[in-house]
mmCIF file of all heavy atoms in Angstrom:
data_model
loop_
_atom_site.group_PDB
_atom_site.id
_atom_site.type_symbol
_atom_site.label_atom_id
_atom_site.label_comp_id
_atom_site.label_asym_id
_atom_site.label_seq_id
_atom_site.Cartn_x
_atom_site.Cartn_y
_atom_site.Cartn_z
ATOM 1 N N GLU A 156 12.759 30.406 -26.192
ATOM 2 C CA GLU A 156 12.355 30.987 -27.474
ATOM 3 C C GLU A 156 11.972 29.940 -28.527
ATOM 4 O O GLU A 156 11.091 30.189 -29.353
ATOM 5 C CB GLU A 156 13.461 31.907 -28.007
ATOM 6 C CG GLU A 156 14.804 31.241 -28.285
ATOM 7 C CD GLU A 156 15.652 31.078 -27.038
ATOM 8 O OE1 GLU A 156 15.157 31.446 -25.955
ATOM 9 O OE2 GLU A 156 16.789 30.577 -27.146
ATOM 10 N N GLN A 157 12.589 28.802 -28.554
ATOM 11 C CA GLN A 157 12.306 27.764 -29.549
ATOM 12 C C GLN A 157 11.616 26.562 -28.897
ATOM 13 O O GLN A 157 11.879 25.405 -29.267
ATOM 14 C CB GLN A 157 13.607 27.318 -30.235
ATOM 15 C CG GLN A 157 14.303 28.414 -31.024
ATOM 16 C CD GLN A 157 13.479 28.862 -32.227
ATOM 17 O OE1 GLN A 157 12.812 28.050 -32.877
ATOM 18 N NE2 GLN A 157 13.512 30.153 -32.524
ATOM 19 N N ARG A 158 10.760 26.826 -27.924
ATOM 20 C CA ARG A 158 10.191 25.719 -27.144
ATOM 21 C C ARG A 158 9.254 24.827 -27.956
ATOM 22 O O ARG A 158 9.181 23.626 -27.715
ATOM 23 C CB ARG A 158 9.438 26.273 -25.929
ATOM 24 C CG ARG A 158 8.309 27.238 -26.245
ATOM 25 C CD ARG A 158 7.721 27.793 -24.958
ATOM 26 N NE ARG A 158 6.640 28.735 -25.197
ATOM 27 C CZ ARG A 158 6.815 30.035 -25.407
ATOM 28 N NH1 ARG A 158 8.032 30.531 -25.418
ATOM 29 N NH2 ARG A 158 5.789 30.834 -25.618
ATOM 30 N N GLY A 159 8.534 25.402 -28.904
ATOM 31 C CA GLY A 159 7.589 24.606 -29.678
ATOM 32 C C GLY A 159 8.253 23.474 -30.455
ATOM 33 O O GLY A 159 7.915 22.293 -30.276
ATOM 34 N N PRO A 160 9.209 23.802 -31.349
ATOM 35 C CA PRO A 160 9.896 22.722 -32.084
ATOM 36 C C PRO A 160 10.619 21.738 -31.163
ATOM 37 O O PRO A 160 10.633 20.529 -31.429
ATOM 38 C CB PRO A 160 10.883 23.490 -32.966
ATOM 39 C CG PRO A 160 10.290 24.855 -33.111
ATOM 40 C CD PRO A 160 9.599 25.140 -31.821
ATOM 41 N N ALA A 161 11.235 22.259 -30.079
ATOM 42 C CA ALA A 161 11.963 21.360 -29.178
ATOM 43 C C ALA A 161 11.010 20.375 -28.493
ATOM 44 O O ALA A 161 11.316 19.183 -28.360
ATOM 45 C CB ALA A 161 12.709 22.178 -28.126
ATOM 46 N N ALA A 162 9.849 20.882 -28.059
ATOM 47 C CA ALA A 162 8.885 19.992 -27.410
ATOM 48 C C ALA A 162 8.351 18.954 -28.387
ATOM 49 O O ALA A 162 8.181 17.779 -28.030
ATOM 50 C CB ALA A 162 7.737 20.821 -26.829
ATOM 51 N N MET A 163 8.085 19.393 -29.611
ATOM 52 C CA MET A 163 7.584 18.448 -30.612
ATOM 53 C C MET A 163 8.619 17.370 -30.917
ATOM 54 O O MET A 163 8.288 16.188 -31.035
ATOM 55 C CB MET A 163 7.213 19.212 -31.879
ATOM 56 C CG MET A 163 6.530 18.361 -32.932
ATOM 57 S SD MET A 163 4.968 17.681 -32.324
ATOM 58 C CE MET A 163 3.980 19.174 -32.193
ATOM 59 N N LYS A 164 9.877 17.766 -31.035
ATOM 60 C CA LYS A 164 10.950 16.794 -31.312
ATOM 61 C C LYS A 164 11.077 15.794 -30.173
ATOM 62 O O LYS A 164 11.217 14.583 -30.391
ATOM 63 C CB LYS A 164 12.263 17.557 -31.497
ATOM 64 C CG LYS A 164 13.381 16.757 -32.134
ATOM 65 C CD LYS A 164 14.559 17.693 -32.423
ATOM 66 C CE LYS A 164 15.677 16.951 -33.139
ATOM 67 N NZ LYS A 164 16.811 17.866 -33.413
ATOM 68 N N PHE A 165 11.018 16.302 -28.936
ATOM 69 C CA PHE A 165 11.071 15.421 -27.762
ATOM 70 C C PHE A 165 9.932 14.416 -27.798
ATOM 71 O O PHE A 165 10.129 13.212 -27.575
ATOM 72 C CB PHE A 165 10.995 16.279 -26.500
ATOM 73 C CG PHE A 165 10.639 15.522 -25.246
ATOM 74 C CD1 PHE A 165 11.585 14.751 -24.595
ATOM 75 C CD2 PHE A 165 9.348 15.587 -24.721
ATOM 76 C CE1 PHE A 165 11.254 14.042 -23.448
ATOM 77 C CE2 PHE A 165 9.015 14.886 -23.576
ATOM 78 C CZ PHE A 165 9.969 14.118 -22.936
ATOM 79 N N PHE A 166 8.739 14.898 -28.121
ATOM 80 C CA PHE A 166 7.571 14.024 -28.081
ATOM 81 C C PHE A 166 7.616 12.976 -29.200
ATOM 82 O O PHE A 166 7.298 11.802 -28.978
ATOM 83 C CB PHE A 166 6.300 14.871 -28.227
ATOM 84 C CG PHE A 166 5.053 14.169 -27.784
ATOM 85 C CD1 PHE A 166 4.818 13.926 -26.441
ATOM 86 C CD2 PHE A 166 4.111 13.737 -28.703
ATOM 87 C CE1 PHE A 166 3.674 13.268 -26.017
ATOM 88 C CE2 PHE A 166 2.967 13.086 -28.295
ATOM 89 C CZ PHE A 166 2.744 12.849 -26.947
ATOM 90 N N ILE A 167 8.031 13.395 -30.399
ATOM 91 C CA ILE A 167 8.085 12.448 -31.527
ATOM 92 C C ILE A 167 9.100 11.342 -31.244
ATOM 93 O O ILE A 167 8.824 10.154 -31.439
ATOM 94 C CB ILE A 167 8.417 13.193 -32.824
ATOM 95 C CG1 ILE A 167 7.239 14.073 -33.252
ATOM 96 C CG2 ILE A 167 8.782 12.218 -33.937
ATOM 97 C CD1 ILE A 167 7.531 14.975 -34.427
ATOM 98 N N PHE A 168 10.283 11.725 -30.779
ATOM 99 C CA PHE A 168 11.318 10.718 -30.506
ATOM 100 C C PHE A 168 10.858 9.741 -29.431
ATOM 101 O O PHE A 168 10.971 8.520 -29.581
ATOM 102 C CB PHE A 168 12.610 11.410 -30.066
ATOM 103 C CG PHE A 168 13.572 11.653 -31.195
ATOM 104 C CD1 PHE A 168 13.348 12.677 -32.094
ATOM 105 C CD2 PHE A 168 14.690 10.865 -31.369
ATOM 106 C CE1 PHE A 168 14.229 12.914 -33.142
ATOM 107 C CE2 PHE A 168 15.570 11.073 -32.413
ATOM 108 C CZ PHE A 168 15.332 12.109 -33.306
ATOM 109 N N THR A 169 10.357 10.288 -28.318
ATOM 110 C CA THR A 169 10.041 9.406 -27.194
ATOM 111 C C THR A 169 8.777 8.581 -27.445
ATOM 112 O O THR A 169 8.717 7.417 -27.051
ATOM 113 C CB THR A 169 9.882 10.229 -25.905
ATOM 114 O OG1 THR A 169 8.956 11.302 -26.152
ATOM 115 C CG2 THR A 169 11.193 10.816 -25.471
ATOM 116 N N GLN A 170 7.783 9.173 -28.113
ATOM 117 C CA GLN A 170 6.586 8.406 -28.418
ATOM 118 C C GLN A 170 6.854 7.361 -29.487
ATOM 119 O O GLN A 170 6.324 6.249 -29.435
ATOM 120 C CB GLN A 170 5.465 9.341 -28.872
ATOM 121 C CG GLN A 170 4.830 10.136 -27.760
ATOM 122 C CD GLN A 170 4.096 9.233 -26.770
ATOM 123 O OE1 GLN A 170 3.228 8.478 -27.156
ATOM 124 N NE2 GLN A 170 4.458 9.332 -25.506
ATOM 125 N N GLY A 171 7.659 7.733 -30.497
ATOM 126 C CA GLY A 171 7.979 6.770 -31.548
ATOM 127 C C GLY A 171 8.685 5.542 -31.006
ATOM 128 O O GLY A 171 8.356 4.399 -31.355
ATOM 129 N N THR A 172 9.631 5.772 -30.129
ATOM 130 C CA THR A 172 10.343 4.633 -29.561
ATOM 131 C C THR A 172 9.503 3.928 -28.495
ATOM 132 O O THR A 172 9.748 2.764 -28.194
ATOM 133 C CB THR A 172 11.674 5.070 -28.963
ATOM 134 O OG1 THR A 172 11.431 6.176 -28.083
ATOM 135 C CG2 THR A 172 12.626 5.516 -30.047
ATOM 136 N N GLY A 173 8.510 4.651 -27.940
ATOM 137 C CA GLY A 173 7.567 3.972 -27.049
ATOM 138 C C GLY A 173 6.815 2.878 -27.781
ATOM 139 O O GLY A 173 6.491 1.827 -27.209
ATOM 140 N N LEU A 174 6.538 3.113 -29.078
ATOM 141 C CA LEU A 174 5.894 2.074 -29.879
ATOM 142 C C LEU A 174 6.795 0.851 -30.009
ATOM 143 O O LEU A 174 6.322 -0.294 -29.935
ATOM 144 C CB LEU A 174 5.559 2.642 -31.262
ATOM 145 C CG LEU A 174 4.901 1.689 -32.251
ATOM 146 C CD1 LEU A 174 3.550 1.202 -31.723
ATOM 147 C CD2 LEU A 174 4.713 2.365 -33.624
ATOM 148 N N LEU A 175 8.104 1.080 -30.182
ATOM 149 C CA LEU A 175 9.039 -0.055 -30.235
ATOM 150 C C LEU A 175 9.046 -0.814 -28.913
ATOM 151 O O LEU A 175 9.133 -2.052 -28.893
ATOM 152 C CB LEU A 175 10.445 0.455 -30.553
ATOM 153 C CG LEU A 175 10.649 1.069 -31.928
ATOM 154 C CD1 LEU A 175 12.057 1.634 -32.065
ATOM 155 C CD2 LEU A 175 10.392 0.030 -33.017
ATOM 156 N N LEU A 176 8.965 -0.069 -27.809
ATOM 157 C CA LEU A 176 8.907 -0.720 -26.498
ATOM 158 C C LEU A 176 7.670 -1.596 -26.395
ATOM 159 O O LEU A 176 7.750 -2.755 -25.932
ATOM 160 C CB LEU A 176 8.898 0.347 -25.400
ATOM 161 C CG LEU A 176 8.674 -0.136 -23.968
ATOM 162 C CD1 LEU A 176 9.790 -1.064 -23.532
ATOM 163 C CD2 LEU A 176 8.559 1.058 -23.011
ATOM 164 N N LEU A 177 6.534 -1.073 -26.844
ATOM 165 C CA LEU A 177 5.298 -1.852 -26.784
ATOM 166 C C LEU A 177 5.397 -3.110 -27.658
ATOM 167 O O LEU A 177 4.958 -4.195 -27.244
ATOM 168 C CB LEU A 177 4.125 -0.980 -27.244
ATOM 169 C CG LEU A 177 2.754 -1.646 -27.247
ATOM 170 C CD1 LEU A 177 2.369 -2.105 -25.849
ATOM 171 C CD2 LEU A 177 1.691 -0.699 -27.808
ATOM 172 N N ILE A 178 5.991 -2.981 -28.844
ATOM 173 C CA ILE A 178 6.146 -4.146 -29.722
ATOM 174 C C ILE A 178 7.032 -5.194 -29.055
ATOM 175 O O ILE A 178 6.730 -6.395 -29.085
ATOM 176 C CB ILE A 178 6.724 -3.710 -31.083
ATOM 177 C CG1 ILE A 178 5.696 -2.858 -31.842
ATOM 178 C CG2 ILE A 178 7.136 -4.920 -31.910
ATOM 179 C CD1 ILE A 178 6.230 -2.242 -33.118
ATOM 180 N N GLY A 179 8.134 -4.743 -28.450
ATOM 181 C CA GLY A 179 9.021 -5.687 -27.767
ATOM 182 C C GLY A 179 8.302 -6.416 -26.645
ATOM 183 O O GLY A 179 8.479 -7.634 -26.459
ATOM 184 N N ILE A 180 7.484 -5.686 -25.875
ATOM 185 C CA ILE A 180 6.735 -6.320 -24.791
ATOM 186 C C ILE A 180 5.732 -7.326 -25.349
ATOM 187 O O ILE A 180 5.614 -8.454 -24.841
ATOM 188 C CB ILE A 180 6.009 -5.233 -23.964
ATOM 189 C CG1 ILE A 180 7.027 -4.375 -23.194
ATOM 190 C CG2 ILE A 180 5.013 -5.862 -22.996
ATOM 191 C CD1 ILE A 180 6.424 -3.170 -22.507
ATOM 192 N N LEU A 181 5.019 -6.945 -26.404
ATOM 193 C CA LEU A 181 4.014 -7.849 -26.978
ATOM 194 C C LEU A 181 4.660 -9.102 -27.571
ATOM 195 O O LEU A 181 4.092 -10.200 -27.481
ATOM 196 C CB LEU A 181 3.203 -7.106 -28.047
ATOM 197 C CG LEU A 181 2.275 -6.005 -27.517
ATOM 198 C CD1 LEU A 181 1.573 -5.295 -28.666
ATOM 199 C CD2 LEU A 181 1.251 -6.580 -26.542
ATOM 200 N N VAL A 182 5.830 -8.958 -28.183
ATOM 201 C CA VAL A 182 6.538 -10.138 -28.696
ATOM 202 C C VAL A 182 6.801 -11.120 -27.568
ATOM 203 O O VAL A 182 6.559 -12.338 -27.689
ATOM 204 C CB VAL A 182 7.864 -9.714 -29.366
ATOM 205 C CG1 VAL A 182 8.771 -10.919 -29.587
ATOM 206 C CG2 VAL A 182 7.584 -9.014 -30.690
ATOM 207 N N LEU A 183 7.267 -10.595 -26.436
ATOM 208 C CA LEU A 183 7.575 -11.456 -25.293
ATOM 209 C C LEU A 183 6.313 -12.119 -24.743
ATOM 210 O O LEU A 183 6.307 -13.323 -24.425
ATOM 211 C CB LEU A 183 8.258 -10.626 -24.211
ATOM 212 C CG LEU A 183 8.872 -11.376 -23.034
ATOM 213 C CD1 LEU A 183 9.932 -12.352 -23.513
ATOM 214 C CD2 LEU A 183 9.489 -10.375 -22.045
ATOM 215 N N VAL A 184 5.234 -11.352 -24.632
ATOM 216 C CA VAL A 184 3.975 -11.890 -24.103
ATOM 217 C C VAL A 184 3.417 -12.972 -25.035
ATOM 218 O O VAL A 184 2.956 -14.039 -24.583
ATOM 219 C CB VAL A 184 2.956 -10.745 -23.915
ATOM 220 C CG1 VAL A 184 1.572 -11.299 -23.592
ATOM 221 C CG2 VAL A 184 3.409 -9.813 -22.799
ATOM 222 N N LEU A 185 3.462 -12.730 -26.344
ATOM 223 C CA LEU A 185 2.946 -13.717 -27.305
ATOM 224 C C LEU A 185 3.776 -14.996 -27.277
ATOM 225 O O LEU A 185 3.234 -16.107 -27.366
ATOM 226 C CB LEU A 185 2.936 -13.111 -28.708
ATOM 227 C CG LEU A 185 1.892 -12.007 -28.942
ATOM 228 C CD1 LEU A 185 2.117 -11.328 -30.284
ATOM 229 C CD2 LEU A 185 0.478 -12.587 -28.874
ATOM 230 N N LEU A 186 5.091 -14.852 -27.157
ATOM 231 C CA LEU A 186 5.936 -16.052 -27.093
ATOM 232 C C LEU A 186 5.663 -16.837 -25.816
ATOM 233 O O LEU A 186 5.650 -18.077 -25.822
ATOM 234 C CB LEU A 186 7.413 -15.643 -27.158
ATOM 235 C CG LEU A 186 7.879 -15.117 -28.521
ATOM 236 C CD1 LEU A 186 9.302 -14.580 -28.430
ATOM 237 C CD2 LEU A 186 7.818 -16.236 -29.567
#
Side-chain angles (χ1 to χ4, degrees):
E156 61 278 3
Q157 297 294 324
R158 58 184 179 273
M163 187 61 68
K164 195 173 183 180
F165 163 77
F166 198 71
I167 290 173
F168 266 76
T169 52
Q170 285 295 304
T172 51
L174 179 62
L175 294 175
L176 173 62
L177 180 61
I178 292 173
I180 292 172
L181 291 177
V182 166
L183 190 59
V184 170
L185 290 171
L186 290 173

